[in-house]
Every structure is written in structure tokens, then in C-alpha cells.
Amino acid sequence: MKTPSRLGLAVAIVLACAAPTLSVAQPAAPTAVTVPIKNFAFMPMMVTVAAGGSVTWKNLDGEPHTVTSTDGLFRSGGLDEDESFTFKFLKPGVYKYICSIHPQMKASVVVR
Amino acid sequence: MPPEFDRRGALTCLGLAAGTVFGLAGGVLTATPLAQAATRGVGRPLFVQLSDTHIGFNKAANPDVGATLDRTIDLVNNLPIQPALILHTGDITHLSKPEEFDAAHQHLSRLRVTELHTTPGEHDKIDGTGTEYLNRFGQASNGKGYYSFDHDGVHFIGLVNVMHFKAGGLGAFGDDQLAWLKDDLSGRSSSQPLVIFAHMPMWTIYEAWGWGTADADQVMALTRRFGSVAVLNGHIHQIVQKTEGHVVFHTARSTAYPQPAAGEGPAPGPLVVAPDELPRRLGLTSVTIAPLPGLASLSDTALA
């Protein structure tokens, strides 16, 4: 489990470094992000969205999944194949969530 | 590859629907594929195991899971001698919706055998707490989900391993249930056969896909002194069986759709197969069979 997450971090860092040339300020966070759920994974495992923006998850697996925050803030219920769930994040912070049916599926949303 | 799967030449597929008939022969629990039992008889069947009916599923892997369940029920109803009990090892519904439970009830009420025992799968508690399941099937257990009963000298124990998932996705029973089980077994004669049924496999078949139960070893420790223990599970939609001493572990096929063998492909989930192959993947014959009077040709490995 460790290797993929480290890899994910490395990719994130590389992407961050490759982001707009010589830009000193952080690029504005998007106001809407989509996270596909595929092969028992949230992709990507970490997304960033602006405060007040929303994240939409769409289950592409034949197996149902849920989007369930570990602190109880949001809960999709069962998402069948091709079903979606959207949540609007108001406050900055890091929000961790899992699939409550397959808790090995972990991911997070960064709101800033 | 999981043990015992696709390996034995004797494990040919004959059935059109899932289910296994269990009977007592000389005090030993024996298993017979439902389709063969329906056509050839198995003496006096004790119970039939159904699993993973997934009522509500309607995707490509099987657009009509109600029809395949009905075919299974027809096989049970056509047994020459009706079994006393039906055990359903979970995932009765696909998404825990009330209407799915209603539809499942309508199908299952076609069974001529009216004594139905169930344990929930993770698909039956997608609402988080399993309230919908327990409202309908929780009477026998006072709303706990796990319970036991005796029938024909056999002690049946229905356990729940889908309420407390461990990191990595393995199922778990939890301390309360284990304490209850210890109490349930204390003072019981070691010569009484045990049948334990729960949804997720009670031995680790494939950890990467969560195909196992983290604290199953504690259950097996509590049952070690018993002379005959059968552990019946579902969840993985395929037959995997192993025998350890006097304990036999067995997972049932689904009546709804097949899943890949452990580790084949990126993830578990509904497996789309050719339409003419589907009935064989829902088929039920991969149970190894103990010698039965009149069915010696089916004999392969003793179940218990």
C-alpha cells in the first residue's frame, strides 16, 4: 500500500512543479472537480477544490461503492454503476473519505 | 489460483442455477450440487444453501437476476424430498433498497421450504447500519444479525462479518459477537456437528481483494474441539473449498453473476461472460461430494 501512495505523492509533486511557468502565486483551485471511481479506487486519490466549489464522484465499476467522509460530513449512500454524487465544500481544510463497503479505498479532498 | 478451483476433473458444470443441498449421512455432513440432487435424489436433504442473489442488479453481467433466482428456486422446489431449511449466505439485495428487499421476499416466498435462515452481506447494509436488513430478517437474533439454532441434532450458527471492516477490506466479527459465540458454544457436546454460515469467506482466499475475515481465526479456535464443523460462505461468487482436519470451508456460487477468480484482472466485481456461458458460471456443481448411498459415482472429497 505504501508504494502506490508514495508514487502518487511523487506524481503530485512533479505536476505541481510543472504547473504554470514562473508563477509565484498558487494557481486558483478549480470550483468543480470530478473524481471517477474505477477498479476499486478513487482517481486521483487527492483532489483540490476552491472553498465553495464542489466535487462530483462517478462510479464506473460494476460493483457499487460509497463516498463516505471519515468525520461524517458527507455520505453518498450506495452508488451503482454510472451513478454520481456531488458535494459542495464550503470551508478550507483536508477532508478524508473512504468507500464504506470497501474501506481499503481511501482518498481525500483538499479545500482551499 | 484459489485451491480446488478449476483443478479437479470431476468439477464439471452441470447446473443451471446456484445452490447446494446438504444432508446428513451417517452423522457426516455431505454436500450435493442442487441440479444433481434435483434429478437424482440425495436421500433426505438437511438444508440448501443459496447465496448472493443480488436482487436489484441489472447490468450486463446478468440483466435478470430475478429469473436466475427463480430457476434456482424451481430446482429446490423440485427436489424429490424437500429439505428442512434454506440458508441464504448474504447479499440478498444489491443496494439494500427497500424495494429490492421486497422483490427478494417475493422470489424467496416461492420456496416450498418455508424455514429460511439468513446472514447479511455488505450489499445488504449499504445504508450503513443494516437497518433495512435487520427490520426484515433480524427477528431471530433480536436485531443483532447473529444467532444460533438447533435442527436435527446439528447446531447452526449464523454469524455477521460485514459490519466491521478492517483496513484492507477484510471482514470482521468484532469482540461482542466473539464473546456471544464463546457463550453459545460453552457446555455444548463436542460431538454435535456445527454448521457456521456467514457472508464473507472465513479464511483468507485473497487479501488484496478483501476476500477473508480478519478475526475468523478466533472463531475457528472456539470450534476446534468439535468433531464436525462446516463453514459456509458466499461473497466471492465461485466455489472455493478446503478441508482442514475435521473442518470444511466452502464458498457458494451466486445465483446472480460470476466474479473473476482471485487476482485475475484489476479488481473484483461483476464479470461479463458470454450469454451461453452465464448459466454455467452460476452453475452449482463445483462442490466436492462425500459418498452418499446411490451416488457413489459422484464421490470425490468428503465435506466434513
Side-chain angles (χ1 to χ4, degrees), chain B residues 178-200:
Chain B
L178 291 168
W180 170 85
L181 179 64
K182 185 179 180 185
D183 192 48
D184 181 75
L185 293 174
S186 69
R188 207 165 276 282
S189 164
S190 299
S191 63
Q192 185 175 25
L194 299 183
V195 172
I196 301 173
F197 60 103
H199 179 66
M200 295 184 71

Side-chain angles (χ1 to χ4, degrees), chain A residues 44-80:
Chain A
M45 288 173 69
M46 188 166 80
V47 292
T48 300
V49 66
S54 61
V55 177
T56 297
W57 290 265
K58 184 173 184 182
N59 180 21
L60 302 179
D61 273 345
E63 176 77 6
H65 296 294
T66 77
V67 176
T68 304
S69 75
T70 50
D71 64 1
L73 180 66
F74 52 95
R75 177 179 202 96
S76 68
L79 297 176
D80 204 357

Side-chain angles (χ1 to χ4, degrees), chain B:
Chain B
M1 284 293 288
E4 308 296 331
F5 186 70
D6 269 354
R7 206 174 66 194
R8 293 171 184 273
L11 302 188
T12 50
C13 297
L14 299 174
L16 293 175
T20 308
V21 184
F22 292 83
L24 278 175
V28 175
L29 202 67
T30 59
T32 306
L34 186 49
Q36 290 178 5
T39 55
R40 302 172 65 168
V42 286
R44 188 174 59 91
L46 182 60
F47 65 92
V48 163
Q49 181 191 6
L50 302 178
S51 200
D52 294 87
T53 47
H54 284 266
I55 294 300
F57 181 83
N58 58 10
K59 302 296 194 258
N62 182 358
D64 195 349
V65 296
T68 47
L69 173 56
D70 281 342
R71 286 162 75 179
T72 309
I73 290 171
D74 289 342
L75 283 173
V76 177
N77 285 342
N78 289 329
L79 286 172
I81 303 173
Q82 289 293 287
L85 317 166
I86 308 285
L87 303 187
H88 192 310
T89 44
D91 283 358
I92 297 167
T93 69
H94 195 58
L95 294 170
S96 314
K97 294 177 179 173
E99 59 269 29
E100 293 176 347
F101 278 109
D102 288 344
H105 174 75
Q106 286 195 352
H107 286 283
L108 294 170
S109 63
R110 289 185 56 245
L111 283 162
R112 284 168 60 196
V113 180
T114 54
E115 187 165 341
L116 171 69
H117 294 273
T118 66
T119 182
E122 77 282 4
H123 285 251
D124 298 319
K125 52 136 288 192
I126 287 178
D127 54 355
T129 56
T131 304
E132 198 66 43
Y133 171 85
L134 290 171
N135 283 345
R136 294 159 188 265
F137 296 101
Q139 294 87 348
S141 62
N142 281 329
K144 298 193 305 288
Y146 49 89
Y147 65 108
S148 68
F149 61 95
D150 287 281
H151 185 91
D152 212 1
V154 177
H155 189 56
F156 290 83
I157 305 166
L159 298 179
V160 179
N161 54 5
V162 298
M163 292 295 180
H164 311 283
F165 284 106
K166 295 297 177 188
L170 293 176
F173 296 108
D175 292 342
D176 289 352
Q177 189 170 191
L178 291 168
W180 170 85
L181 179 64
K182 185 179 180 185
D183 192 48
D184 181 75
L185 293 174
S186 69
R188 207 165 276 282
S189 164
S190 299
S191 63
Q192 185 175 25
L194 299 183
V195 172
I196 301 173
F197 60 103
H199 179 66
M200 295 184 71
M202 286 174 58
W203 79 107
T204 301
I205 293 174
Y206 193 56
E207 191 166 359
W209 288 0
W211 286 2
T213 304
D215 51 4
D217 285 353
Q218 295 182 59
V219 171
M220 301 327 298
L222 289 170
T223 60
R224 195 154 288 142
R225 67 183 174 88
F226 288 84
S228 169
V229 181
V231 176
L232 306 176
N233 305 126
H235 186 60
I236 65 171
H237 298 208
Q238 59 197 283
I239 303 280
V240 179
Q241 182 168 308
K242 74 163 183 171
T243 305
E244 266 186 24
H246 51 265
V247 183
V248 70
F249 298 82
H250 171 80
T251 63
R253 278 182 170 152
S254 163
T255 69
Y257 55 82
Q259 290 204 66
E264 287 191 0
L271 181 69
V272 178
V273 297
D276 60 340
E277 195 193 340
L278 179 63
R280 288 188 285 124
R281 297 299 287 262
L282 304 181
L284 43 102
T285 30
S286 299
V287 182
T288 48
I289 301 165
L292 280 174
L295 290 178
S297 63
L298 299 180
S299 176
D300 191 2
T301 302
L303 183 64

